[in-house]
Amino acid sequence: MADTDVDWTERAAAAERAVVRRHLRPVAGVVPSTRLGRERWPRKLPARPRPWHPWWQAQLLECLLDAQQRSPSAGRARTISALVRGIRLRNRGRWVTRRLADTAWLGVALQRAGPLAGRAGRTAEHSVTQAFYRGWSEAGGGGLWARRGARSGLKPALANAPAAVMMARVGQIDFAGSIADWIADTLVDEDTGLVRAGAVVSADGQLTSVDPAIHAAAQGAYLAACTELARRDDHSRWGDRAIAIVDAVQQRFANGHGSLPGAGGGDGGLQAGVLARYLADAGVQRSELTAAVRRLVLGCAEQAWLGRLESVGGPVFSVDWAIPAARPGKHVPEADLSVQLAGWMLMEAAARLQRSA
């Protein structure tokens, strides 16, 4: 089906309506002027306060910002502000968590929200960037630790790549470049060109191993860091690396159906959606990437839409876009907010590419 035959804007709007209707509620169900995304739909009763998923809430905020970019509205702006308040309240008034990956993804979303985040956004930017500086260590050649105060252990791509994105966006180019260079030198696999999960560093500061797992969100955030740095720094390595990671994703990560593979429910449910968003961003910003990105993202989006299940409130997207969605229920990953956010992200990515054509 030709891209011009599809209204991706309407499909993105349908995905938004479904997630908002099923998952957005006030904190504890009653706190006024707040919102959070419920973990599952249909909701399990009684609902437990844990586990708390800051990364999911950060991506919910990003999805709302995608939608606001697509079709600005005062009502959605209020929802965005309420979500920011809800996240801060649930996070006990803090933006910096023990896990630097959660801190990084929250920081990226809040920085992007700008004035819609209110005073909380400015407070968050200072707190989060300072946490990145404190989390950086020359042990193992550089990089941020997985947890605040660590002196050994993992330096994960899922903390370092979004940290580089945020630091580039707030104008800390040298630091953002140092993080991105460390990823390129340490985590990018020479054979595949893909970003591996993280580096393991011993207590004496030696790099002992690299976790070979490949996470879609790490590819997307590293691509975003290179794209943001290319806009602000005239060194050719950023554009070259952006081209290389898109090529690696297309040639060595996408599955035999030409789709980004699913990674199950839970945190894995977000992975492909995050990559799709940043692929679309890169395709819009860099003309040399546009054709490859459009083929991959629009192909995924068409598969996901054809495989959706229509249920109460709108579409339910599959945990793996290449196969039909299952009906949400107990032990079914399609019930996870993360999985449905990924489908929404993909629809917004397709709509953005269509608008930019």
Side-chain angles (χ1 to χ4, degrees):
M1 183 178 294
D3 177 31
T4 53
D5 296 332
V6 174
D7 186 351
W8 289 109
T9 293
E10 178 50 39
R11 291 181 176 183
E16 177 188 9
R17 288 191 297 269
V19 170
V20 168
R21 177 174 177 176
R22 294 167 182 157
H23 292 275
L24 257 68
R25 297 293 185 274
V27 174
V30 297
V31 180
S33 300
T34 66
R35 292 291 185 274
L36 281 179
R38 283 182 174 171
E39 177 183 308
R40 290 176 64 81
W41 178 87
R43 188 185 186 197
K44 294 189 295 185
L45 294 174
R48 298 174 299 169
R50 292 181 181 277
W52 164 235
H53 297 290
W55 188 36
W56 299 19
Q57 305 299 324
Q59 296 311 311
L60 173 57
L61 176 56
E62 291 268 20
C63 282
L64 288 166
L65 293 168
D66 290 341
Q68 189 71 352
Q69 184 181 49
R70 164 176 49 82
S71 178
S73 79
R76 191 187 299 106
R78 290 190 294 271
T79 299
I80 290 169
S81 298
L83 178 60
V84 171
R85 286 191 291 272
I87 293 171
R88 187 172 191 180
L89 180 61
R90 181 62 180 78
N91 225 35
R92 299 180 180 179
R94 299 187 298 266
W95 294 117
V96 176
T97 67
R98 188 181 179 194
R99 295 179 68 245
L100 282 179
D102 287 337
T103 299
W105 291 104
L106 280 171
V108 169
L110 289 162
Q111 190 277 334
R112 184 182 171 205
L116 293 176
R119 289 183 298 176
R122 295 188 294 275
T123 303
E125 182 176 310
H126 175 76
S127 298
V128 170
T129 55
Q130 291 305 303
F132 294 157
Y133 279 114
R134 290 192 298 270
W136 173 271
S137 165
E138 293 297 332
L144 304 175
W145 296 108
R147 295 181 180 274
R148 287 190 299 149
R151 294 294 180 268
S152 64
L154 185 65
K155 293 189 170 185
L158 286 173
N160 281 272
V165 174
M166 183 174 179
M167 297 309 285
R169 288 179 178 175
V170 301
Q172 301 294 322
I173 304 304
D174 289 343
F175 189 30
S178 295
I179 301 171
D181 283 338
W182 177 80
I183 294 172
D185 295 340
T186 309
L187 300 185
V188 173
D189 184 82
E190 292 183 0
D191 295 328
T192 66
L194 296 168
V195 179
R196 294 171 291 181
V200 180
V201 179
S202 63
D204 63 359
Q206 299 302 306
L207 176 64
T208 60
S209 63
V210 176
D211 183 341
I214 303 297
H215 300 304
Q219 317 310 309
Y222 176 64
L223 170 61
C226 293
T227 303
E228 295 292 344
L229 284 162
R231 291 175 57 193
R232 297 165 171 84
D233 181 0
D234 60 5
H235 198 286
S236 62
R237 72 186 185 279
W238 307 121
D240 292 344
R241 288 174 182 174
I243 293 170
I245 193 65
V246 170
D247 182 67
V249 166
Q250 191 174 27
Q251 299 298 325
R252 300 177 183 88
F253 186 70
N255 60 29
H257 302 282
S259 180
L260 300 175
D267 284 348
L270 287 167
Q271 293 280 345
V274 172
L275 175 52
R277 173 188 288 123
Y278 288 130
L279 282 167
D281 284 351
V284 169
Q285 294 182 46
R286 303 197 64 82
S287 60
E288 68 271 25
L289 297 175
T290 303
V293 164
R294 285 179 63 86
R295 282 194 301 272
L296 185 54
V297 172
L298 294 177
C300 287
E302 186 63 22
Q303 287 185 8
W305 187 259
L306 291 175
R308 78 195 187 283
L309 173 71
E310 286 294 335
S311 187
V312 176
V316 172
F317 294 103
S318 175
V319 70
D320 187 325
W321 297 329
I323 62 176
R327 187 166 298 280
K330 188 176 182 180
H331 305 309
V332 177
E334 277 82 352
D336 286 354
L337 171 62
S338 57
V339 172
Q340 298 312 310
L341 287 175
W344 180 7
M345 288 183 226
L346 178 61
M347 296 301 117
E348 295 287 0
R352 185 176 182 200
L353 288 169
Q354 188 174 56
R355 294 195 305 273
S356 69

